[in-house]
Amino acid sequence: MTDRLKDKVAIITGGVAGIGLGIATCYVREGAKVVLTANHNVDGGHAAVAKFGEDVSLFVQQDVAKEADWQKVIDATVAKFGRVDILVNNAGIGGVNGAIEDLSLDDWQKVIDVNLTANFLGEKAAIHAMKDTADAKGSIINVSSVAGLVGLPFAPAYSASKGGTRLLTHATALNLAQRKIAIRVNSVHPGWIDTAIVPEAARKQIIAGIPVGHMGEPEDIGEVCVYLGSDESKFANGAEFTVDGGQRA
């Protein structure tokens, strides 16, 4: 199937590798124009644009935790493609794992800044842009995690950030809907997805705990994001979409 996202312009943070690149691949296939951001993986950004083509893609280097960088991304998106229809808040970090009493404030704050505060900044910037360029219509997709549904015992900052993203999604969706603004906000909660961050030594143990018997692929998250970005999901708002091979069933 193609053209489910025809004429839509999407910003995908962390969109040049892993889950983000999987989302971008699905979006371009369905006719969207994509603006991909990353802070450190600049080579990956250029490679993604070379793969998709400059006519339908743009890379912007961005620190998602800085409000000024969000305005830079919005300005670049509107300058090239004229509008913003979809935001996928996908960028995130795992942070330092361990006992909570051994976690430094700096380590905690870094995860909260990148995984949660950045999602607030993205929502804020995207809502303004959608009001200005897309008749106050659009879709915001926050990529949380199964760790936003149940706590991971040795990842307190990550769990808190992803749980915060879940409830930020609910609150923003309700706020917009009650003001009759047609911008929908939903969250996606991946389980184990086969990307470079999966520890090789734990791969067999991880797979053994997944009911379907294998990890997901980045495009498995991308397909859900296609639905949420498209007009097919017009009645989905403030909802949670778990994609984990049955682990949380």
Side-chain angles (χ1 to χ4, degrees):
M1 187 180 296
T2 57
D3 291 341
R4 294 167 70 194
L5 299 175
K6 184 179 180 181
D7 299 326
K8 294 187 183 294
V9 176
I11 297 169
I12 305 170
T13 66
V16 306
I19 288 174
L21 185 59
I23 296 169
T25 299
C26 294
Y27 269 40
V28 171
R29 183 199 70 208
E30 294 297 335
K33 296 178 174 64
V34 295
V35 177
L36 312 175
T37 83
N39 192 13
H40 304 294
N41 190 4
V42 175
D43 289 343
H46 295 318
V49 171
K51 172 185 175 182
F52 297 133
E54 292 186 2
D55 56 330
V56 298
S57 64
L58 173 69
F59 170 68
V60 182
Q61 188 172 9
Q62 178 194 27
D63 181 342
V64 292
K66 291 183 177 180
E67 190 163 18
D69 274 22
W70 273 104
Q71 192 58 52
K72 178 179 72 171
V73 171
I74 295 296
D75 290 346
T77 302
V78 174
K80 184 171 179 69
F81 295 125
R83 58 190 293 124
V84 178
D85 300 287
I86 302 166
L87 167 65
V88 184
N89 270 322
N90 168 72
I93 58 174
V96 176
N97 295 334
I100 191 166
E101 67 269 23
D102 296 328
L103 187 69
S104 73
L105 179 57
D106 285 345
D107 289 336
W108 166 273
Q109 194 62 55
K110 184 177 181 179
V111 174
I112 297 300
D113 286 348
V114 174
N115 290 5
L116 180 55
T117 302
N119 291 347
F120 155 71
L121 293 173
E123 288 188 350
K124 181 179 177 181
I127 290 166
H128 281 299
M130 291 170 183
K131 285 181 175 180
D132 292 341
T133 69
D135 298 322
K137 298 178 181 177
S139 175
I140 296 173
I141 303 162
N142 291 324
V143 179
S144 178
S145 167
V146 293
L149 304 173
V150 294
L152 300 183
F154 288 100
Y158 184 79
S159 298
S161 70
K162 293 302 186 178
T165 291
R166 172 178 174 256
L167 288 182
L168 174 66
T169 300
H170 288 209
T172 309
L174 286 170
N175 180 278
L176 291 166
Q178 289 175 358
R179 289 188 288 142
K180 309 304 179 188
I181 297 172
I183 299 171
R184 298 176 294 104
V185 191
N186 294 285
S187 60
V188 178
H189 299 259
W192 284 106
I193 305 299
D194 196 357
T195 66
I197 67 170
V198 175
E200 194 61 35
R203 179 175 290 266
K204 288 185 179 180
Q205 182 180 358
I206 289 168
I207 292 174
I210 303 173
V212 299
H214 60 85
M215 283 187 279
E217 300 174 352
E219 287 77 8
D220 292 326
I221 307 304
E223 300 296 1
V224 174
C225 290
V226 166
Y227 167 71
L228 291 174
S230 76
D231 295 337
E232 299 164 17
S233 59
K234 59 184 174 57
F235 199 54
N237 199 15
E240 303 165 3
F241 293 78
T242 303
V243 189
D244 68 350
Q247 276 191 293
R248 298 296 176 267

